[in-house]
Amino acid sequence: MDSYKVRLKKSAEEEFRGVPFPVRRQLNQRFGKLKTQPWPPEPQTDEWQSLSAGHHPRFRLRAYGYKVLYEIDEGQKVVTIFAILPLSSRN
């Protein structure tokens, strides 16, 4: 099974610091799972949604009251998290 690096953009790091600690710990565990399974299951569930199918596919993962927006660079084996937002915010 392929292993991916998981990176947070600077803006996502700042958003992550604003998440309450117990939820941060749970999200961190979820990020660890992205290292081995970044692609959403088929068929997609409420928890996962594909946002685009461009050069670097983007996805939304709902977890613990937050949505995590990320893209996958399959060539470099890198998952880049670019936003961590409360589910109540639009994006």
Side-chain angles (χ1 to χ4, degrees), residues 9-71:
K9 285 195 168 191
K10 189 171 185 90
S11 58
E13 285 179 14
E14 292 169 8
E15 293 162 350
F16 188 61
R17 283 193 288 268
V19 173
F21 179 74
V23 178
R24 254 190 290 167
R25 187 174 42 205
Q26 292 172 315
L27 286 174
N28 235 350
Q29 291 173 346
R30 201 59 186 256
F31 298 163
K33 291 180 182 180
L34 290 175
K35 290 179 179 181
T36 57
Q37 191 65 23
W39 298 95
E42 289 291 334
Q44 291 185 24
T45 65
D46 248 4
E47 185 179 20
W48 299 84
Q49 181 182 4
S50 177
L51 301 177
S52 71
H55 182 63
H56 297 297
R58 291 184 166 201
F59 301 94
R60 181 198 69 208
L61 168 64
R62 292 181 181 180
Y64 311 107
Y66 286 83
K67 53 187 158 191
V68 177
L69 306 177
Y70 69 95
E71 65 185 13

